Amino acid sequence: MDQPLRLKNCHEALLNQFLHFDPMHLVVRSRGLSFVRETNFGVFTSKRGRSSRMIRDGESGLVLCPERIESVYLFSPGANRPPAFEFDFADYGFGISIQPRETPRNLEILARIASLFGDAVVPASDLIARGAGSWLDEWGHLEQSASEGSTDARVSGTAAEGKIAAQIVTPGFEAEIAMRPAFEDRDGQIRRIAAAGGCDAIVIDADVLVIGDGRVDQWDGRQLLKRRAEQLRSEVATW
């Protein structure tokens, strides 16, 4: 596929094609906390608990609000890599990416989905400028002012404890990861934590997540929470 393809607005029918794939990479992006994990997908069914209608996949645990999905694109994240499904959410951006591995089975399913659900070819440059295909720590395109206060991002556990979990909840989606970390790297305020023997990883920005009134620099296993927009504005005003 040379150019990104916008898929038809029949998202639930599309989502229920995912159960046919081999395990895929689920990438979840939020400002200050993002993660990737390998997972199977099953059938999405209705989930109660919010005013908006939500659907949940029992295999991956991914929860989506169909009303908040603006578009889904088949978009190649790099040369010689199969296309990924990039989900564009209203007032948020590309918060979810589902990335098939390059296997004969997956490539056959991708071709079938492109044929059945393809709607329009779009310029790759437009999607890249808006954050499609971005890395875990490239969240500058996410959460404009209208939605900054509506995202709940939290982390519990530490690499030293041998277990770590993260959860991201937005009006458009909910997702979580739990893993046994084997590697941790720091680059300034950015922490990258990876599991052994797989793709699972978490990226944390200490400028966005806090422990109560503290900083991630003093993280000792207590739960990390997303800093609210008013906290960030207050700090900027004092610098």
Side-chain angles (χ1 to χ4, degrees), residues 24-209:
M24 297 191 286
H25 294 164
L26 170 62
V27 177
V28 184
R29 309 178 182 111
S30 75
R31 187 183 298 275
L33 172 65
S34 296
F35 60 79
V36 57
R37 67 184 180 91
E38 187 172 78
T39 181
N40 288 305
F41 286 83
V43 175
F44 283 80
T45 58
S46 294
K47 174 183 181 292
R48 296 182 179 179
R50 284 207 204 176
S51 56
S52 300
R53 178 173 172 268
M54 309 295 286
I55 55 175
R56 182 180 186 275
D57 170 37
E59 288 286 333
S60 65
L62 178 63
V63 177
L64 297 170
C65 177
E67 296 175 2
R68 305 287 299 183
I69 301 174
E70 293 276 14
S71 298
V72 181
Y73 299 88
L74 267 180
F75 171 80
S76 180
N80 301 317
R81 293 177 61 184
F85 297 94
E86 288 282 347
F87 287 72
D88 184 15
F89 292 90
D91 299 321
Y92 192 90
F94 290 100
I96 295 286
S97 178
I98 297 176
Q99 303 176 355
R101 294 180 297 170
E102 189 170 4
T103 67
R105 175 187 177 89
N106 285 352
L107 293 176
E108 179 182 341
I109 298 169
L110 284 167
R112 184 170 73 241
I113 288 176
S115 175
L116 291 174
F117 293 91
D119 183 30
V121 173
V122 296
S125 58
D126 291 354
L127 298 187
I128 293 171
R130 295 178 49 231
S134 58
W135 295 101
L136 293 181
D137 57 357
E138 295 175 341
W139 41 61
H141 60 283
L142 291 173
E143 299 184 28
Q144 300 304 315
S145 58
S147 61
E148 275 191 357
S150 60
T151 297
D152 182 17
R154 57 187 66 211
V155 180
S156 58
T158 67
E161 292 176 349
K163 58 182 179 180
I164 188 168
Q167 181 185 47
I168 298 171
V169 178
T170 78
F173 62 86
E174 303 173 12
E176 58 188 17
I177 183 174
M179 68 182 194
R180 295 189 178 277
F183 173 80
E184 181 174 354
D185 173 68
R186 295 187 64 172
D187 180 9
Q189 298 297 322
I190 305 297
R191 287 192 178 197
R192 300 177 181 88
I193 304 167
C199 79
D200 293 10
I202 299 172
V203 177
I204 300 167
D205 186 347
D207 281 334
V208 180
L209 298 185

Side-chain angles (χ1 to χ4, degrees), residues 7-21:
L7 302 179
K8 294 176 182 176
N9 187 16
C10 42
H11 300 136
E12 292 182 57
L14 168 65
L15 290 167
N16 286 325
Q17 300 296 311
F18 290 176
L19 63 87
H20 301 295
F21 283 95

